[in-house]
Amino acid sequence: MSSANYAVVVASGFLCDPGDSGGCPAVAKSSNGDSYEISGAGTFDPQNKSVKVAGTFNHKSTNGNVLETGVWTANDLISFDSYGIARAAFMQRGPAFGRQQIGSKRLPMHSVYLPTVGLAIFRILLTPVSGATKKAVLQVNCALGDVPRERSVEGIRLTFERNVVEFSEEVSGRVMFLSMRPETNEVAKPPQ
């Protein structure tokens, strides 16, 4: 039997209410006050380390000026620690999760997807609109259930590889992992 595949949503899509700025985009700050705002989505498989995750980013100064903007892509899954299924996750999220939505914000919930809490660590490439690309490590933490105490804050962390700048303060950010049940990968066979 193959391992479960996962979808990851980082401060985008159905996680974001139009009037709520508290969790979208996800924000991580450095010790000097600069911040990175990140949103995105995609899929990954922890067993074979395949990754298809991408999104957008803004790098802002301490006073809120945009220093750079662009896209990011994940090219490597370093690790994924699942803390288990969070069956009540959609009820913990407020209006976007408490009622069925119509249109593009509609919840992507079929019986095949289960909200899952955990920590994924991706190696990513940030490509700004102008300037050189940068390599970094992105930690995405979903803390909607029973999680280790040191991972109880939901959000992102970002560490750049060349200059060792860390954006390790998880300011805000709604993130969620969705696990696809393994049995849904198999084609249903009619009874004999």
Side-chain angles (χ1 to χ4, degrees):
M1 180 185 274
S2 66
S3 70
N5 287 314
Y6 292 87
V8 59
V9 182
V10 181
S12 63
F14 69 93
L15 293 178
C16 303
D17 272 335
D20 178 21
S21 62
C24 296
V27 179
K29 278 193 178 180
S30 69
S31 59
N32 73 358
D34 279 14
S35 63
Y36 266 84
E37 298 177 346
I38 289 182
S39 62
T43 60
F44 65 95
D45 184 336
Q47 184 174 359
N48 66 22
K49 304 283 188 180
S50 65
V51 178
K52 292 180 183 177
V53 182
T56 60
F57 74 90
N58 287 313
H59 178 196
K60 291 187 174 181
S61 67
T62 55
N63 61 6
N65 291 332
V66 176
L67 301 173
E68 65 182 353
T69 188
V71 297
W72 64 271
T73 55
N75 53 19
D76 185 26
L77 174 66
I78 296 171
S79 66
F80 177 63
D81 293 322
S82 174
Y83 307 138
I85 303 300
R87 297 193 188 282
F90 291 112
M91 296 306 142
Q92 297 175 13
R93 289 298 198 175
F97 292 90
R99 67 182 191 283
Q100 186 72 305
Q101 300 267 326
I102 298 173
S104 64
K105 297 268 185 169
R106 189 177 185 133
L107 295 178
M109 293 306 296
H110 307 289
S111 61
V112 298
Y113 296 107
L114 296 172
T116 303
V117 292
L119 172 66
I121 302 176
F122 299 101
R123 189 164 281 113
I124 67 170
L125 185 66
L126 292 99
T127 307
V129 171
S130 63
T133 59
K134 299 175 186 174
K135 293 180 180 180
V137 173
L138 175 65
Q139 295 184 32
V140 178
N141 188 57
C142 179
L144 293 174
D146 187 20
V147 299
R149 194 158 154 208
E150 69 275 8
R151 299 308 299 164
S152 63
V153 176
E154 184 172 35
I156 61 166
R157 294 182 184 180
L158 189 64
T159 305
F160 287 92
E161 293 182 354
R162 290 265 185 220
N163 57 7
V164 194
V165 174
E166 289 190 20
F167 292 78
S168 58
E169 181 186 341
E170 297 157 318
V171 177
S172 65
R174 292 192 173 130
V175 299
M176 184 173 287
F177 299 107
L178 297 168
S179 169
M180 185 183 305
R181 294 184 193 176
E183 65 270 15
T184 61
N185 292 335
E186 300 173 10
V187 177
K189 295 178 182 174
Q192 296 293 334

